[in-house]
């Protein structure tokens, strides 16, 4: 089996702009990618493909395969799946809370398709036993899309419910989850720039003024 990580660095994560500059956001998404790759490798996933466009530089020290595509996300992934004949784990690059145990659990599930829902109806991870029998449809309520596609294709489905894997980092309030539950490069990066404010309300981030 192998893992596929869609990755965008150029002008990344605009919704984080109230907390991080463009340069910081581009640096941060690379660090999140490194954390995801680290957890995959710790789980024993040796073959990792990064799906990206030519203008999104992927660091050469990551020991991964680069798959370049100018197509939109769905067309690019579906074109990739058509060429594969082994199980594929598709995982987003903005999931720095993922741990090796999550990956090990997901790939051990016997159903044809394992779907990890994200916040607001998104899809953060899909594990597909037979890529030729499935297509993805991200954007909008992609979780429902992927459940329906599995049903239409006659695939059995397991919904893997995980707070850590449902937490993609898109907005400033998501950064506090890294401070609470994160590890690795992304945790170090955020801790250098923010303090956590706690009290009667939910935990929040405050800029340290040291960045």
């Amino acid at each position: 089996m192998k893992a596929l990580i869609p990755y965008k660095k150029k002008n990344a994560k605009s919704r984080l702009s109230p907390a991080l500059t463009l340069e910081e956001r581009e640096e941060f998404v690379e660090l999140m990618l490194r954390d995801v790759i680290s957890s995959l490798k710790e789980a024993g996933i040796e073959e990792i493909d990064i799906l990206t466009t030519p203008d999104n530089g992927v660091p050469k020290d990551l020991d991964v395969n680069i798959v370049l595509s100018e197509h939109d996300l769905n067309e690019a992934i579906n074109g990739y799946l058509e060429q594969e004949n082994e199980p594929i784990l598709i995982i987003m690059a903005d999931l720095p809370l993922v741990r090796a145990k999550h990956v090990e659990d997901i790939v051990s599930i016997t159903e044809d398709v394992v779907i990890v829902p994200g916040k607001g109806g998104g899809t953060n991870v899909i594990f597909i036993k037979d890529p030729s029998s499935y297509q993805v449809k991200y954007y909008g309520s992609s979780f429902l899309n992927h459940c329906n596609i599995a049903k239409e294709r006659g695939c059995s489905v397991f919904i893997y419910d995980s707070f850590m894997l449902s937490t993609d980092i898109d907005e400033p309030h998501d950064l506090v989850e890294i401070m609470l539950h994160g590890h690795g490069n992304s945790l170090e990066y955020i801790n250098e720039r923010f303090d956590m404010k706690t009290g009667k309300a939910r935990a929040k981030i405050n800029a340290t003024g040291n960045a």
Side-chain angles (χ1 to χ4, degrees):
M1 67 157 293
K2 62 171 68 172
L4 178 69
I5 309 174
Y7 176 64
K8 177 186 177 182
K9 180 177 181 179
K10 187 177 181 181
N11 299 321
K13 297 292 179 185
S14 60
R15 283 185 285 170
L16 286 174
S17 58
L20 297 170
T21 67
L22 173 59
E23 182 179 355
E24 288 174 328
R25 298 196 309 271
E26 292 183 342
E27 185 177 2
F28 179 51
V29 296
E30 181 182 310
L31 296 176
M32 289 196 290
L33 173 67
R34 289 180 180 275
D35 287 340
V36 172
I37 291 172
S38 176
S39 291
L40 289 171
K41 290 186 174 182
E42 187 180 342
I45 309 298
E46 297 181 357
E47 191 168 357
I48 300 172
D49 291 344
I50 306 297
L51 177 64
T52 191
T53 57
D55 60 349
N56 282 288
V58 177
K60 296 180 179 179
D61 66 329
L62 288 178
D63 189 26
V64 296
N65 305 311
I66 308 301
V67 179
L68 296 177
S69 177
E70 295 281 7
H71 298 298
D72 71 15
L73 180 63
N74 290 318
E75 190 174 354
I77 294 178
N78 288 328
Y80 174 92
L81 293 177
E82 289 174 359
Q83 302 176 46
E84 296 298 328
N85 57 11
E86 61 182 306
I88 302 293
L89 179 79
I90 304 172
I91 181 168
M92 296 296 114
D94 59 351
L95 300 175
L97 305 188
V98 63
R99 303 298 179 102
K101 184 62 167 60
H102 296 128
V103 178
E104 293 166 355
D105 288 346
I106 289 169
V107 301
S108 69
I109 292 169
T110 58
E111 276 78 2
D112 299 325
V113 178
V114 181
I115 303 173
V116 181
K119 296 174 295 185
T123 304
N124 285 355
V125 184
I126 308 179
F127 181 51
I128 308 165
K129 295 285 182 64
D130 179 6
S132 67
S133 69
Y134 197 80
Q135 284 192 321
V136 299
K137 189 177 180 181
Y138 287 95
Y139 307 121
S141 298
S142 66
F143 169 69
L144 295 178
N145 294 340
H146 292 135
C147 290
N148 290 332
I149 290 168
K151 182 178 180 180
E152 292 166 1
R153 300 295 178 96
C155 300
S156 58
V157 179
F158 185 92
I159 308 303
Y160 186 87
D161 183 11
S162 166
F163 169 78
M164 299 291 202
L165 291 185
S166 72
T167 305
D168 43 351
I169 307 302
D170 285 326
E171 302 189 32
H173 64 257
D174 296 325
L175 299 175
V176 75
E177 305 300 346
I178 296 179
M179 301 182 80
L180 289 166
H181 309 291
H183 63 111
N185 298 287
S186 53
L187 175 61
E188 181 178 352
Y189 190 82
I190 295 304
N191 278 341
E192 287 175 353
R193 285 160 174 76
F194 300 98
D195 291 322
M196 184 166 56
K197 180 182 179 182
T198 60
K200 293 182 179 179
R202 292 184 177 183
K204 299 179 180 180
I205 59 167
N206 280 334
T208 63
N210 297 324

